[in-house]
Amino acid sequence: MIRLLKTLSRGLDRLVGCAVVVLLVVMTAVTSAGVFWRYVMNDALSWAEELGCYMLVWVSFLGAALATYRGAHIGIDVVYDRIPRPAQRLLDVAVNGAIVVFMGAILLSSLRILPVVKTRISPTLSVSMDIPYLVLPVSAGIIIFQTLVRMLPEPGEGKP
């Protein structure tokens, strides 16, 4: 079971990584087109700035999910490296538990917000605002899953 969860975690990381790359490429193209039209064509693309902002938010939140899988979030290693191994394990559990609780609160709150923002329409793109806000429960759910899987022992760990 652990092996399956670790495989799912790895696959989810690859999927999120591909989504981030696609979003970054499209965001760069949209932003560049907006700059070109504004300064070269002297005519602004009304939707480019809004779309670029929404894509930046999605990239940021999904990037946090990528960092969770890869253990790449910032940390203060000076103290952590100097405490005994059993205390490090306890600290890992405490920190990961806090992450799960915090992301759980974000997940639940964002699920309550989605029906409210669904009725609102974005000013220039004319799309329901639940699309930009959907990144909150998606990224929180991914972070919770990745954190819980990271807490599992590696397959075969602890066997003689």
Side-chain angles (χ1 to χ4, degrees):
M1 182 65 167
I2 291 175
R3 187 164 287 145
L4 173 65
L5 288 172
K6 297 276 184 181
T7 302
L8 285 173
S9 178
R10 211 172 17 261
L12 182 59
D13 180 67
R14 288 187 186 126
L15 181 66
V16 171
C18 289
V20 166
V21 167
V22 168
L23 286 169
L24 278 171
V25 168
V26 173
M27 183 179 71
T28 302
V30 165
T31 304
S32 298
V35 170
F36 176 80
W37 254 265
R38 180 176 299 273
Y39 293 106
V40 176
M41 307 297 281
N42 287 327
D43 187 26
L45 295 175
S46 60
W47 52 269
E49 182 180 354
E50 187 174 327
L51 181 59
C53 286
Y54 293 153
M55 293 179 106
L56 179 62
V57 170
W58 271 84
V59 165
S60 300
F61 278 84
L62 292 178
L66 285 177
T68 300
Y69 172 79
R70 298 167 187 199
H73 282 289
I74 61 171
I76 302 172
D77 294 337
V78 174
V79 175
Y80 182 82
D81 291 342
R82 293 187 180 174
I83 61 176
R85 191 82 176 123
Q88 286 179 353
R89 288 190 192 116
L90 188 62
L91 185 59
D92 288 340
V93 170
V95 168
N96 288 325
I99 290 169
V100 169
V101 168
F102 181 69
M103 286 295 124
I106 289 176
L107 177 65
L108 294 175
S109 298
S110 63
L111 289 175
R112 280 190 235 121
I113 290 172
L114 283 177
V116 175
V117 296
K118 184 178 180 76
T119 60
R120 299 193 178 136
I121 304 299
S122 70
T124 57
L125 292 174
S126 297
V127 298
S128 174
M129 287 302 292
D130 60 344
I131 294 171
Y133 279 87
L134 191 61
V135 73
L136 290 168
V138 168
S139 62
I142 293 169
I143 290 170
I144 290 169
F145 176 75
Q146 297 291 30
T147 301
L148 291 173
V149 171
R150 279 179 55 89
M151 292 172 70
L152 295 173
E154 289 298 321
E157 189 177 290
K159 292 183 180 174

